[in-house]
Amino acid sequence: LSYDNGIKYAVFTEKSLRLLGKNQYTFNVESGFTKTEIKHWVELFFGVKVVAVNSHRLPRKGRRMGPILGHTMHYRRMIITLQLGILFHFYFLN
């Protein structure tokens, strides 16, 4: 799923599922967006109060097609912490 807001998709790994207990949600985001932009978008679109946004860049993976060496796209992984007592529903996922 690709939206104009920059959020690519929610991430469901062992670590991200553990973070759900702490009211933290993990998303892959296009690398051009800042923490502040993502925070404002999540608060506006989902109507929740974001306490903190942490991010890190995922490493690029090399891809070869014949003699040409290329790279996959850059993504940034955001961990969004919501205010306690607020539930977040992933209703936009298929």
Side-chain angles (χ1 to χ4, degrees), residues 28-29 31 56-64 69-77:
N28 277 355
V29 178
S31 62
H56 69 275
R57 260 184 212 270
L58 297 173
R60 295 177 92 174
K61 293 182 179 180
R63 295 286 185 251
R64 177 177 293 281
L69 180 64
H71 296 284
T72 58
M73 291 186 63
H74 261 215
Y75 293 114
R76 193 173 242 166
R77 185 158 288 168

